[in-house]
């Protein structure tokens, strides 16, 4: 069965510094990978996805993520953090080798950007 | 166009009562998912539908939980004999389905369920 780990409950970054939110996954086949963001009192929003092709994926709000198959990781990154990036971030995976369409989410990482 | 709509947005119920949560997906989306979000627990997968069929019900926490989808559209999640541990935000999401190259999920704003 597929699973996702987000090892950090919270990440603090100073505004203007680069940020990284970590995600590792486990699947039996190849993965579809996703990042979602949840702003306070708002619904979950899609940020970006990896399906196939280039390992570096670019998404909304200047975020990007790098797929690393050997390390089974899909870390979310941004070169320069903004205070408005403060939110709860979720990594998700679907196993392309599975016979179902189940999508599993991590526990989430709360990102605090300090002014 | 309209997004995923969930109702009610908030529900307070007494322990032992039954509750029904509703989800209206985006028109044309064939896949529909239910998740539960509890504090510190992330998003817990409950069930998903492809059309009206639910291939995987393994995420439902107990036999008090059931879900159905009719006409390939609206879905209801029913919790019978509610318990305090059922208190959480229940999220619904829809997508075009996996024949569309891994289309992302579009989430509703959720139903906050409080069992007293």
């Amino acid at each position: 069965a597929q699973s996702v780990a987000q090892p950090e409950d919270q990440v603090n970054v100073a505004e203007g510094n680069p940020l990284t939110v970590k995600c590792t996954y486990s699947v039996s086949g190849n993965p579809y990978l996703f990042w979602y963001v949840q702003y306070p009192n708002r619904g979950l929003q899609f940020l970006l996805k990896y399906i196939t092709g280039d390992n570096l994926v670019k998404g909304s709000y200047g975020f990007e993520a790098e797929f690393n198959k050997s390390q089974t990781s899909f870390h979310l990154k941004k070169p320069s953090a903004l205070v408005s990036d403060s939110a709860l971030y979720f990594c998700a995976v679907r196993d392309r080798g599975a016979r179902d369409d189940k999508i599993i989410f991590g526990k989430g990482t709360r990102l605090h950007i300090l002014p | 166009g309209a997004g995923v709509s969930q109702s009610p947005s908030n529900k307070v119920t007494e322990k032992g009562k039954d509750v029904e949560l509703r989800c209206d997906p985006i028109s044309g989306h064939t896949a529909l998912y239910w998740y539960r979000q509890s504090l510190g627990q992330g998003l817990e997968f409950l069930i998903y539908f492809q059309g009206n069929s639910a291939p995987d019900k393994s995420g439902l926490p107990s036999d008090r939980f059931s879900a159905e989808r009719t006409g390939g559209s609206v879905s209801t999640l029913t919790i019978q004999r509610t318990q305090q541990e059922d208190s959480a935000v229940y999220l619904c999401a829809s997508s075009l389905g996996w024949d569309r190259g891994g289309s992302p999920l579009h989430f509703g704003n959720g139903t906050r369920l409080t069992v007293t």
Side-chain angles (χ1 to χ4, degrees):
Chain A
Q2 63 267 58
S3 65
V4 177
Q6 293 182 242
E8 302 151 319
D9 291 336
Q10 182 169 309
V11 172
N12 297 323
V13 178
E15 187 176 25
N17 282 1
L19 69 86
T20 299
V21 182
K22 295 180 180 177
C23 171
T24 58
Y25 65 90
S26 175
V27 293
S28 58
N30 290 313
Y32 289 123
L33 292 157
F34 304 85
W35 276 101
Y36 289 81
V37 59
Q38 188 174 39
Y39 297 104
N41 300 315
R42 294 175 61 180
L44 275 152
Q45 299 177 30
F46 168 74
L47 269 183
L48 51 79
K49 66 181 179 182
Y50 171 81
I51 302 298
T52 187
D54 290 341
N55 290 341
L56 185 63
V57 177
K58 295 187 183 296
S60 307
Y61 312 119
F63 284 93
E64 57 189 29
E66 186 167 12
F67 170 63
N68 187 318
K69 187 172 183 178
S70 63
Q71 296 184 5
T72 62
S73 67
F74 189 57
H75 300 332
L76 181 69
K77 300 182 179 183
K78 187 173 182 179
S80 179
L82 300 172
V83 172
S84 57
D85 293 330
S86 297
L88 186 58
Y89 290 80
F90 290 95
C91 182
V93 67
R94 184 215 168 199
D95 187 348
R96 294 173 66 177
R99 297 175 64 181
D100 58 55
D101 291 339
K102 187 186 298 186
I103 302 171
I104 299 301
F105 284 75
K107 289 192 172 184
T109 298
R110 190 164 296 280
L111 179 63
H112 286 286
I113 307 301
L114 309 170
Chain B
V4 177
S5 177
Q6 291 188 247
S7 61
S9 55
N10 281 285
K11 176 71 176 178
V12 180
T13 189
E14 292 180 352
K15 178 182 173 180
K17 300 282 190 182
D18 297 351
V19 296
E20 198 171 88
L21 313 180
R22 177 187 169 104
C23 174
D24 279 282
I26 293 172
S27 178
H29 280 194
T30 59
L32 186 148
Y33 295 75
W34 284 98
Y35 292 89
R36 180 166 70 175
Q37 185 175 19
S38 305
L39 190 63
Q41 296 301 313
L43 286 170
E44 177 187 5
F45 170 82
L46 297 179
I47 190 171
Y48 86 95
F49 291 88
Q50 186 61 37
N52 292 333
S53 169
D56 188 338
K57 301 180 181 179
S58 63
L60 295 176
S62 74
D63 58 8
R64 296 186 294 105
F65 287 71
S66 62
E68 65 174 14
R69 188 180 185 193
T70 56
S73 181
V74 172
S75 175
T76 54
L77 177 68
T78 302
I79 309 173
Q80 296 179 309
R81 306 180 302 280
T82 52
Q83 303 294 313
Q84 288 187 331
E85 61 262 29
D86 299 335
S87 296
V89 176
Y90 289 82
L91 293 167
C92 176
S94 68
S95 77
L96 288 168
W98 293 104
D99 58 345
R100 299 296 187 100
S103 58
L105 299 180
H106 297 261
F107 281 86
N109 288 330
T111 294
R112 183 176 296 278
L113 175 66
T114 303
V115 182
T116 61

